[in-house]
Amino acid sequence: MKLTSAKVTMDVPHHGYRAAAKQRGRAGPPTGDSVLFEDTSSGAPAMNTPAYYTPGYNMAGPANEMQGDAAVNNLFTDPMANAAMMYGSTLANTGKDMVNKEISRFMSVNKLKYFFAVDTRYVLKKLMILLFPYTHQDWEVRYHRDTPLTPRQDVNAPDLYIPTMAFITYILLTGMALGIQQRFSPEVLGLCASTALVWIIIEVLVMLLSLYLLTVHSDLSTFDLIAYSGYKYVGMIFTVLCGLLFGSDGYYVGLAWSSCALMFFIVRSLKMKILPSISQDTMGTGSSTKPQFRLYITVATAVFQPIIIYWLTSHLVR
């Protein structure tokens, strides 16, 4: 024991205590010398040693990146993978075309865009006609090469922008009226909205069924009927506002005014769509249905509007 310790001490150069300790920590034990303990300082550095640890250093990083690049290259060079990708893309495009085709069977997107082709000038003029239709003279819908002009070009063309905005405004006004009367709740507001929507659906379905049973050949489409049925919300908003501002007396005055204006508007508008087919039946080119039945449909549609207005607004004013 003493001889070995002396030999080790003699091999270390005399450069001071700190230098001797540093060099002794890095050099391995001399080969051929017997030591009591195996020196493992020349092996892998400990992870908590500051000299060998750098934050963020990943020893397995390059190998993983090389493996990822190889996998990507194999994916793009594999003909089976390319075929599967092409087949999936073709299948997705085919599914998209099928969905668009099914939607087009029930709803034409281009035709729907026609009913929303409006501008500020058209909206203002249309609202004036809905509230004051007695001063409007020309009710004929204009055409260009057998195609009706857009609403922004013809104020007599039906649109869906005003009915949609009027429906939303009516729901908001309903919430405000119920809040003023301390009767507001989300359930009541949802019930009012669903009831108003169901009434429009019922009205449109009844109109379509009547036109079908009477074999009336007219220019009316489903979107036209929704537009003419949705114009009543403008009168409903006017009626509720009159009731909130002037009480029950103002409500009934507003109801009478909006009902008469809407009936006049419906009759004059549908007259250009339904009644012209009467002359065709008279000439023998139409169906054998009596012409007065078409007039009854127009009048019944107009008379039905005040009933719905009263049903949907009477509970909002006290």
Side-chain angles (χ1 to χ4, degrees), residues 93 133 186 203:
N93 293 332
E203 183 180 355

Side-chain angles (χ1 to χ4, degrees), residues 44-268:
M47 296 302 296
N48 57 354
T49 305
Y52 292 95
Y53 177 75
T54 55
Y57 178 76
N58 186 8
M59 299 181 64
N64 292 338
E65 292 178 359
M66 293 178 63
Q67 293 177 1
D69 294 340
V72 173
N73 293 332
N74 292 334
L75 178 62
F76 286 101
T77 57
D78 189 1
M80 295 299 296
N82 292 334
M85 292 177 63
M86 293 178 61
Y87 178 75
S89 178
T90 304
L91 187 63
N93 293 332
T94 304
K96 181 180 178 181
D97 295 338
M98 292 178 60
V99 171
N100 293 334
K101 184 178 180 180
E102 292 297 325
I103 293 177
S104 300
R105 289 178 55 187
F106 302 96
M107 181 186 302
S108 177
V109 178
N110 293 331
K111 196 169 185 179
L112 188 61
K113 290 180 180 179
Y114 164 83
F115 287 93
F116 284 92
V118 301
D119 55 7
T120 305
R121 182 171 174 269
Y122 166 81
V123 172
L124 294 177
K125 293 180 67 174
K126 194 74 169 186
L127 291 177
M128 293 299 297
I129 293 175
L130 289 172
L131 294 177
F132 306 96
Y134 313 106
T135 59
H136 190 62
Q137 301 297 327
D138 186 12
W139 294 86
E140 185 177 359
V141 179
R142 294 175 175 81
Y143 290 81
H144 176 68
R145 297 179 180 179
D146 296 334
T147 302
L149 297 179
T150 58
R152 68 165 62 97
Q153 298 171 336
D154 182 15
V155 71
N156 295 322
D159 71 285
L160 291 176
Y161 176 80
I162 292 179
T164 303
M165 294 296 104
F167 177 79
I168 297 175
T169 306
Y170 163 74
I171 299 302
L172 297 177
L173 189 62
T174 299
M176 185 182 71
L178 294 176
I180 293 175
Q181 301 172 13
Q182 304 297 326
R183 296 188 295 126
F184 176 80
S185 66
E187 293 78 10
V188 175
L189 188 62
L191 180 62
C192 293
S194 58
T195 303
L197 187 61
V198 168
W199 270 113
I200 282 190
I201 296 175
I202 294 176
E203 183 180 355
V204 172
L205 291 179
V206 170
M207 281 289 297
L208 290 174
L209 183 61
S210 302
L211 295 175
Y212 174 76
L213 293 178
L214 298 179
T215 62
V216 177
H217 303 285
S218 64
D219 297 333
L220 286 173
S221 64
T222 305
F223 290 133
D224 292 328
L225 296 178
I226 295 175
Y228 288 121
S229 178
Y231 285 137
K232 69 170 63 69
Y233 290 111
V234 177
M236 292 166 61
I237 294 171
F238 176 76
T239 302
V240 174
L241 287 177
C242 291
L244 293 178
L245 294 176
F246 305 105
S248 59
D249 295 336
Y251 169 78
Y252 287 107
V253 172
L255 177 63
W257 179 270
S258 60
S259 300
C260 294
L262 184 61
M263 286 191 297
F264 187 85
F265 173 83
I266 292 295
V267 170
R268 294 303 301 267

